Amino acid sequence: MSVVEQYARAHIVTDADMVEEERTAVPVVLRYDPDDDPRSVCVGLPDRHEWTFARTLLEQGLRAPAGTGEVRVWPCGRVQAVVEFHSAHGVSVVQFESKALVRFLRRTYAEGLPVAALTTTAEGR
């Protein structure tokens, strides 16, 4: 199986005063490596910080608010989704177009193991 890597544009949401140039979308890397962990996806932010979390959390968060720990995902209107990352350094709130995340998830399911196989594998351990 091969790694799925997709570049997306996202907005870092902040309440700080920003000049217009800072309000533009920033590049974000979405990555899935089924050989490393078929249940997880990775989001690489422009500050070179990477977050790894359950692929199902991303999928569920596109339909309804999901997550209670360091990563939370929820739909924002009809065409956007928000991913919120919590750490000891603070909170990063990143707003994506939902279609970019859906396209990425479709590619991960085409490349990786189906959900049923993941469940069977986990139970067999």
Side-chain angles (χ1 to χ4, degrees):
M1 291 182 264
S2 62
V3 174
V4 174
E5 192 168 273
Q6 177 177 311
Y7 294 87
R9 306 287 291 167
H11 292 275
I12 307 296
V13 180
T14 178
D15 60 356
D17 290 333
M18 296 171 55
V19 294
E20 192 60 36
E21 298 85 44
E22 293 174 335
R23 296 176 197 257
T24 61
V26 296
V28 176
V29 178
L30 306 170
R31 191 167 27 85
Y32 172 70
D33 185 349
D35 293 330
D36 184 40
D37 183 355
R39 294 175 191 84
S40 297
V41 294
C42 181
V43 175
L45 299 179
D47 62 2
R48 301 195 187 257
H49 191 99
E50 289 191 346
W51 292 85
T52 301
F53 56 97
R55 180 170 60 162
T56 55
L57 174 62
L58 183 59
E59 183 177 6
Q60 292 167 355
L62 291 174
R63 293 187 302 269
T68 57
E70 293 181 344
V71 180
R72 300 169 189 173
V73 184
W74 66 89
C76 181
R78 294 175 41 189
V79 296
Q80 295 179 329
V82 172
V83 182
E84 186 176 272
F85 302 101
H86 293 256
S87 74
H89 303 292
V91 177
S92 295
V93 180
V94 185
Q95 189 172 32
F96 292 89
E97 286 195 21
S98 296
K99 66 182 178 182
L101 298 177
V102 168
R103 185 175 339 131
F104 172 68
L105 283 170
R106 283 187 184 141
R107 291 181 62 207
T108 70
Y109 285 114
E111 201 55 50
L113 295 172
V115 175
L118 292 174
T119 304
T120 304
T121 303
E123 292 171 355
R125 288 185 183 172

